[in-house]
Amino acid sequence: MNPTIEINLKNLKKNWLYLNALSKKHIETGAVIKANAYGLGSNEVANALWEVGNRSFFVATTEEGILLNKILPKNRKIYILNGYDKNYKKAFIDFSLIPVINSPLNLSSFIENNKNNSMCIQIDIGMKRLGFQKDELVKYIDIIKKLNLDLVLGHLTTAVKPKNIANEKQLNNFKEIIINFPTFRKSLAASHGIFINNNYHFDLTRPGVALFGGIKDRNILNVVNIELPVLQTHFLDVGEGIGYGLTYFSKEKKKVATLAGGYADGLTRNFSNIGFLYHKKIPCPILGRISMDLVTVDITHLKEEPKKLTFIGNEQTINDLSDIANTVSHEILINLGNRYTKQYLN
Ligand SMILES: *Cc1c(COP(=O)(O)O)cnc(C)c1O
């Protein structure tokens, strides 16, 4: 049997309610569930969020939007962050998918094919990734205002550092541009942006990773639990190496457990020789390189021989892992891969 990933939908719902409570009552809280809800399963996640009152769902691609349409009731909104795609002309119309238009070219394609449906625009306030540039927007303001404009979006580059001056600068850029859209709804903050302060909230917030526990805040709960089964235990004698490339040599006799989980299961090779698995609260150091399907850990100090060790849980959250791997919690989630058997806790 493949190892199990337990996805705690109760905690997911609590996280949404907490994020919702951080902004004023009249401000809507949406949910970003692109990439199959950060790998955790968009159907189950979307249904759970619907139950607590979420009505605006953001995904990256049209295909993701089409899948969501199948499971959500009609009075939801599904936003496609990567913009309008005329290859899906019929789906956009039939399912009322709302494209986030990011450029003049994308705008003309939308107008040509779909102009009676709802749409959003994103303005580039500093990331230089997607969105209308300030100077080019001027030419299109009147055209855009005649369309069914649902929302004006901006996206922050540095919200993870609330005091960074880029935030205030980008907030001001956003404010300067939205003067042109006084009667339309606006959205700026993703997960980290919500925590900067309520000047960043506008009419709708767009948390993604925080819903899944991927932000350090004492009220954000862990959503993912993974325990890996021990396949065998053995001893490592003084001077013996372990794993591919023999990157670890033991100076003393050690007891080693080999577990079913490797870099195909989100134990990135960056954790080799520096990461831990846990037996209850006791850390067990990873010894040697992590392989695709297996990991070897030191259990010399354990009083009992464990059947399983914890990879992700309250002892070691996705935030702890992103610190060790020098990445973001988003990537830790996405890297968990498809091999686990998903078990949802309702
Ligand atoms: C992914 C994304 C979000 C959500 O970001 P999190 O950091 O996961 O909260 C919000 N807005 C846009 C435009 C995004 O691409």
Side-chain angles (χ1 to χ4, degrees):
M1 211 177 94
N2 288 350
T4 303
I5 179 170
E6 185 190 276
I7 297 157
N8 189 326
L9 297 175
K10 267 189 223 162
N11 285 356
L12 171 87
K13 290 190 253 189
K14 284 185 191 160
N15 287 342
W16 188 90
L17 289 166
Y18 170 61
L19 292 164
N20 188 40
L22 288 178
S23 56
K24 293 193 177 126
K25 268 226 164 65
H26 65 279
I27 295 171
E28 185 181 352
T29 300
V32 181
I33 56 168
K34 56 199 180 191
N36 193 27
Y38 294 44
L40 301 183
S42 57
N43 287 8
E44 290 79 2
V45 165
N47 279 320
L49 292 170
W50 177 270
E51 276 174 39
V52 283
N54 189 77
R55 293 296 176 266
S56 293
F57 297 83
F58 292 81
V59 290
T61 70
T62 315
E63 302 257 347
E64 291 172 355
I66 292 169
L67 290 177
L68 258 193
N69 169 68
K70 290 193 180 141
I71 58 133
L72 286 170
K74 276 280 163 281
N75 53 332
R76 84 296 180 270
K77 286 184 174 176
I78 299 173
Y79 296 91
I80 311 296
L81 289 167
N82 283 2
Y84 182 68
D85 182 347
K86 67 174 187 307
N87 294 308
Y88 297 95
K89 180 173 174 169
K90 192 165 159 17
F92 269 97
I93 295 171
D94 290 353
F95 309 144
S96 312
L97 304 177
I98 307 175
V100 178
I101 306 285
N102 292 307
S103 70
L105 202 64
N106 201 221
L107 180 66
S108 30
S109 174
F110 173 79
I111 290 174
E112 210 170 286
N113 293 290
N114 204 20
K115 72 164 185 269
N116 296 322
N117 281 58
S118 290
M119 50 86 78
C120 304
I121 58 160
Q122 178 167 203
I123 49 190
D124 188 341
I125 55 169
M127 193 180 284
K128 296 283 166 175
R129 185 179 72 167
L130 280 182
F132 283 82
Q133 304 300 313
K134 191 174 156 190
D135 52 349
E136 71 189 2
L137 184 68
V138 183
K139 285 184 251 166
Y140 298 96
I141 286 172
D142 292 334
I143 299 172
I144 291 167
K145 283 163 108 172
K146 285 189 193 118
L147 298 168
N148 285 314
L149 179 59
D150 181 90
L151 198 61
V152 180
L153 275 85
H155 195 48
L156 298 163
T157 58
T158 320
V160 66
K161 298 192 172 109
K163 297 214 168 77
N164 192 289
I165 50 161
N167 293 316
E168 210 181 314
K169 211 171 147 196
Q170 290 168 16
L171 174 67
N172 289 334
N173 287 344
F174 191 60
K175 283 183 174 164
E176 223 174 274
I177 295 170
I178 59 177
I179 289 176
N180 297 297
F181 301 95
T183 59
F184 297 94
R185 297 198 312 153
K186 290 113 195 160
S187 173
L188 178 61
S191 297
H192 288 93
I194 296 173
F195 290 84
I196 302 178
N197 67 50
N198 58 14
N199 292 331
Y200 289 77
H201 294 168
F202 294 90
D203 301 297
L204 181 147
T205 60
R206 310 186 307 269
V209 81
L211 297 167
F212 310 113
I215 195 167
K216 286 179 198 163
D217 180 275
R218 62 194 170 86
N219 293 306
I220 290 287
L221 305 170
N222 178 49
V223 168
V224 174
N225 285 284
I226 297 177
E227 291 188 330
L228 301 173
V230 174
L231 297 178
Q232 74 166 75
T233 62
H234 50 253
F235 289 95
L236 193 60
D237 276 329
V238 179
E240 281 188 309
I242 188 167
Y244 282 119
L246 299 176
T247 59
Y248 178 87
F249 283 92
S250 193
K251 293 199 182 81
E252 60 211 339
K253 186 171 177 175
K254 281 189 183 298
K255 189 168 190 190
V256 174
T258 304
L259 295 97
Y263 59 78
D265 309 291
L267 288 88
T268 140
R269 277 172 99 251
N270 292 348
F271 297 146
S272 300
N273 290 310
I274 58 169
F276 298 89
L277 301 182
Y278 284 77
H279 175 62
K280 299 181 181 121
K281 292 202 154 95
I282 308 169
C284 302
I286 293 173
L287 302 180
R289 287 244 171 91
I290 293 166
S291 15
M292 188 184 289
D293 320 296
L294 297 167
V295 57
T296 41
V297 301
D298 184 357
I299 57 162
T300 315
H301 53 306
L302 299 186
K303 289 201 180 71
E304 48 198 327
E305 198 161 294
K307 290 207 167 56
K308 289 178 170 186
L309 293 176
T310 304
F311 169 37
I312 300 180
N314 287 327
E315 300 73 25
Q316 175 163 265
T317 68
I318 57 174
N319 301 310
D320 301 324
L321 289 169
S322 65
D323 286 345
I324 296 172
N326 198 14
T327 182
V328 288
S329 52
H330 312 60
E331 196 185 4
I332 298 291
L333 284 174
I334 291 290
N335 279 347
L336 295 176
N338 291 321
R339 188 153 62 178
Y340 292 104
T341 303
K342 290 191 173 78
Q343 220 168 59
Y344 293 93
L345 214 77
N346 276 294

